[in-house]
Amino acid sequence: MNFLSTFVTFKNLHEVRRLCHWGPIIALSVIAICSTMAILDSIIWYWPLDTTGGSINFIMLINWTVLILYNYFNAMFVGPGYIPLGWKPENQQDTQYLQYCRGCQGYKAPRSHHCRKCNRCVMKMDHHCPWINNCCGHLNHAYFTSFLLLAPLGCSHAAVIFIMTMYTQLYERISFGWSTVRIDMSAVRQFQPLMPFSVPAFAATLFALGLALGTTIAVGMLFVIQMKVILRNKTSIESWIEEKAKDRIQHYQTGEEFIFPYDLGSRWLNFKQVFTWSGTPRGDGIVWPVHPKCHQHTLTIEQLKQKADKRVRSVQYRAVEDYNGACCPLSKGLQTFFRTPCTEEPRIPLCKGDTILATRGTKWWMYGDKVLSEEEVRAGERVRGWFPRRCVEKCHYDTAASDATSDKKVN
């Protein structure tokens, strides 16, 4: 009991509630199905006690499962790290460069943002991930990215086992007739397996194969996106801030040069900010190493400029294509399909000619408020969510419309 008490504390038991969510339930179900079927099929296809290769194959399967679950639960329960409630900088003069968070009753440290789901200011917030039911940020970024790497590798190994099991257990003789297709289910075996490969086993293996291939593609794409973020030492939120900064400079022709402060100029140096041998990222989540031409508050000052500038607070777009609000719209291109935001925030359907005030976005998706009619605004309606970037184009800025929409929003 003393051993368990060092790991299970009241805080850990409180965090267990994160498992009671559709994201972790689906993720853990996929892991359980693929791992279980891969182990059972290995017993049929490549009995681990007969050969060295079979033993290595079986040990690797167990290894994938353990590593995937280890990084998954660490990403979920370690969490991103939160700014202490009521936090203030040590130097009171720095408060002029920081935004105040009413929810946390304190200032937002550099690179931190308030998450509506977690109801806390998150250190170096990238996004809120529904699959771990937690934010991806400073402390769990390495665990989350390691999970995104290991899951496709493990599923690829499992997929090979599924394919080889079906290939070796089914006699490959398919006869095509005018009205029937006959498949001989007899198996060619050199030894008698411990369990029969029946029709239900074939169906279960085929289902697990589909899950494994789908996970490899989908999670693999997410891994590539996260590695691009890490190698640039930039979060998805900061990418949008940088885009609006360049837009502001171009519009006003200020002649200033915007340098992203946290890119250290080397991919290896950026990589080491997240991945360390100890597993704990560098820094305390409040003070960050910056570019020689920048300082700690370069990005926060830019955020204050954008907040004061009503023109860039939200950028106005006009819909040029219809969008039905699907989560993964294949008709909008493969990049839009595979890079759909991993968030519980809704999608908003668009009709050609609709006006949207975008407040943030990625390369393939944008997030904002649809401009509604006066009757809809009076009724307290609000349409906010994600939509594909290819469905809209930037148009002229209407400050009055932006202010009217902002003033009439119902919180």
Side-chain angles (χ1 to χ4, degrees):
M1 293 300 295
N2 292 333
F3 174 77
L4 291 176
S5 65
T6 61
F7 295 95
V8 182
T9 63
F10 179 77
K11 182 178 179 181
N12 297 130
L13 292 175
H14 177 75
E15 289 291 317
V16 169
R17 292 189 304 176
R18 292 190 181 277
L19 293 169
C20 302
H21 182 266
W22 64 265
I25 291 174
I26 294 177
L28 292 174
S29 297
V30 171
I31 295 172
I33 292 173
C34 291
S35 299
T36 303
M37 290 304 303
I39 291 173
L40 294 178
D41 283 356
S42 290
I43 296 175
I44 297 176
W45 168 58
Y46 208 175
W47 177 239
L49 299 182
D50 281 352
T51 62
T52 302
S55 300
I56 294 175
N57 174 69
F58 195 80
I59 292 173
M60 285 184 64
L61 274 179
I62 303 298
N63 182 62
W64 289 128
T65 303
V66 171
L67 289 177
I68 288 171
L69 291 176
Y70 172 79
N71 285 280
Y72 179 82
F73 286 125
N74 271 311
M76 179 185 294
F77 294 125
V78 170
Y82 302 107
I83 302 297
L85 296 174
W87 179 83
K88 295 181 181 179
E90 295 181 1
N91 186 355
Q92 292 298 318
Q93 294 182 350
D94 291 342
T95 57
Q96 62 182 316
Y97 306 126
L98 302 173
Q99 297 185 53
Y100 186 80
C101 178
R102 295 180 181 178
C104 297
Q105 295 297 307
Y107 288 91
K108 297 180 182 179
R111 310 194 78 177
S112 67
H113 300 275
H114 188 84
C115 175
R116 290 194 297 266
K117 293 288 184 180
C118 299
N119 198 29
R120 290 290 299 275
C121 285
V122 177
M123 295 178 177
K124 190 190 167 188
M125 179 179 175
D126 185 82
H127 68 286
H128 185 92
C129 178
W131 303 111
I132 61 173
N133 195 20
N134 208 340
C135 280
C136 176
H138 176 57
L139 294 181
N140 64 351
H141 205 172
Y143 292 121
F144 181 74
T145 308
S146 298
F147 165 72
L148 296 183
L149 170 64
L150 293 168
L153 292 178
C155 286
S156 298
H157 185 186
V160 172
I161 293 175
F162 298 148
I163 293 173
M164 293 304 299
T165 301
M166 290 188 291
Y167 176 78
T168 56
Q169 295 300 312
L170 302 179
Y171 183 70
E172 293 186 314
R173 181 163 58 85
I174 303 177
S175 299
F176 294 93
W178 289 103
S179 59
T180 62
V181 176
R182 182 171 58 86
I183 302 177
D184 190 346
M185 299 292 287
S186 61
V188 179
R189 303 185 181 99
Q190 297 178 349
F191 63 92
Q192 186 67 28
L194 295 181
M195 59 186 72
F197 192 74
S198 58
V199 173
F202 171 78
T205 300
L206 193 61
F207 176 71
L209 175 62
L211 287 180
L213 294 178
T215 301
T216 300
I217 296 172
V219 180
M221 291 288 292
L222 293 177
F223 170 73
V224 172
I225 294 172
Q226 284 300 313
M227 283 306 302
K228 288 182 178 180
V229 166
I230 291 172
L231 294 178
R232 298 170 184 171
N233 205 4
K234 184 187 303 180
T235 67
S236 57
I237 297 176
E238 290 167 347
S239 298
W240 177 246
I241 295 174
E242 182 182 28
E243 182 177 336
K244 291 198 292 184
K246 294 178 179 178
D247 182 76
R248 177 184 61 82
I249 294 172
Q250 180 180 7
H251 178 81
Y252 290 111
Q253 298 294 320
T254 60
E256 59 184 300
E257 179 187 7
F258 179 79
I259 300 175
F260 184 74
Y262 306 115
D263 188 347
L264 303 181
S266 167
R267 292 184 177 181
W268 175 241
L269 292 177
N270 292 337
F271 179 84
K272 290 194 297 183
Q273 292 297 310
V274 176
F275 291 96
T276 61
W277 288 111
S278 64
T280 303
R282 296 186 179 183
D284 58 0
I286 295 178
V287 179
W288 306 91
V290 295
H291 190 277
K293 295 183 179 181
C294 303
H295 56 82
Q296 285 294 318
H297 301 104
T298 297
L299 198 65
T300 57
I301 291 174
E302 176 59 35
Q303 288 178 264
L304 292 173
K305 289 180 180 179
Q306 295 178 9
K307 187 175 181 180
D309 186 358
K310 298 177 181 178
R311 188 193 66 83
V312 297
R313 185 185 302 175
S314 56
V315 184
Q316 191 175 89
Y317 287 82
R318 183 177 61 254
V320 294
E321 294 182 20
D322 292 338
Y323 167 56
N324 61 4
C327 181
C328 301
L330 186 58
S331 62
K332 302 303 179 184
L334 290 178
Q335 294 284 7
T336 302
F337 177 82
F338 285 114
R339 299 194 181 186
T340 182
C342 294
T343 173
E344 295 177 278
E345 294 170 315
R347 275 60 168 168
I348 56 174
L350 299 177
C351 295
K352 191 173 182 179
D354 286 345
T355 301
I356 310 97
L357 300 176
T359 55
R360 54 191 168 98
T362 64
K363 185 177 181 181
W364 304 100
W365 288 80
M366 303 192 74
Y367 183 89
D369 294 273
K370 184 188 291 188
V371 177
L372 305 176
S373 63
E374 293 184 3
E375 292 77 12
E376 292 172 321
V377 173
R378 291 196 194 98
E381 295 185 21
R382 179 174 65 180
V383 180
R384 168 185 287 182
W386 290 92
F387 52 92
R389 186 184 282 263
R390 63 170 288 175
C391 293
V392 297
E393 65 178 11
K394 189 182 295 185
C395 56
H396 68 280
Y397 299 95
D398 188 351
T399 304
S402 177
D403 293 341
T405 303
S406 300
D407 294 339
K408 295 179 180 179
K409 285 178 183 177
V410 178
N411 295 322

